[in-house]
Amino acid sequence: MADVLFYHLTESTLEDALPGLLERSVARGWRVAVQTGTEERRDALDTHLWTFRDDSFLAHATDREPHPAEQPILLTTGEDNANQARIRFLVDGALPPALDGYERAVFMFDGHDAAQVEAARGHWKAMKAAGHAVTYWQQGPDRRWERKA
């Protein structure tokens, strides 16, 4: 069973929070899949990850480019695991695939979007019922993640 984490964005945007989490995942030696709800969001994150910081970038590709299996971070709208990721981030309402083969899944949702909050509640119940170890993290005023459940 995968560890499933729910990250409730209250103080920053996905674009602010996601790169640091991706950096930590890659530093652990994990391949990463980031599943978005739409192609437009996937493409916007693709652009953002090349330019999010002046002194760094995250090597990645999208699922529309050749050689997805070779990518340390793969941005996708699909449910497959083309790069054999160990961790999968689900953002902007992406529907989770089966989590077999993943060590960790991370649902990131905007606390200012009622539909995303409600969807996260549904995913929490489903993941818990499926036997996954679930934890809930919320941003504090300093933008650090605080474990709440």
Side-chain angles (χ1 to χ4, degrees):
M1 288 281 142
D3 290 330
V4 180
L5 292 72
F6 287 80
Y7 280 26
H8 187 166
L9 295 161
T10 58
E11 304 298 324
S12 64
T13 65
L14 177 68
E15 289 81 3
D16 292 335
L18 183 61
L21 296 170
L22 295 177
E23 286 176 323
R24 286 193 283 278
S25 297
V26 170
R28 286 183 162 192
W30 289 344
R31 287 184 175 257
V32 180
V34 178
Q35 183 181 343
T36 63
T38 66
E39 291 179 0
E40 294 80 15
R41 186 63 153 149
R42 175 202 60 202
D43 295 345
L45 283 175
D46 176 35
T47 299
H48 179 69
L49 292 179
W50 289 117
T51 61
F52 76 96
R53 202 167 61 212
D54 289 340
D55 64 342
S56 180
F57 71 93
L58 286 165
H60 69 280
T62 69
D63 57 1
R64 69 175 190 277
E65 298 172 54
H67 314 294
E70 298 172 13
Q71 302 306 319
I73 300 172
L74 184 66
L75 306 177
T76 184
T77 58
E79 294 184 357
D80 61 334
N81 189 4
N83 68 337
Q84 299 304 303
R86 304 304 301 155
I87 183 170
R88 186 174 199 93
F89 288 83
L90 297 119
V91 301
D92 290 334
L95 297 176
L99 297 179
D100 302 337
Y102 291 98
E103 289 182 37
R104 183 173 289 176
V106 179
F107 288 82
M108 296 187 77
F109 60 100
D110 182 346
H112 304 289
D113 182 325
Q116 285 191 31
V117 171
E118 190 59 33
R121 286 184 182 127
H123 293 311
W124 171 276
K125 290 175 186 173
M127 294 295 123
K128 195 166 183 149
H132 295 287
V134 296
T135 57
Y136 168 73
W137 300 79
Q138 186 175 27
Q139 286 182 310
D142 61 357
R143 295 185 177 195
R144 292 184 177 263
W145 295 106
E146 300 172 3
R147 185 174 178 167
K148 300 288 186 171

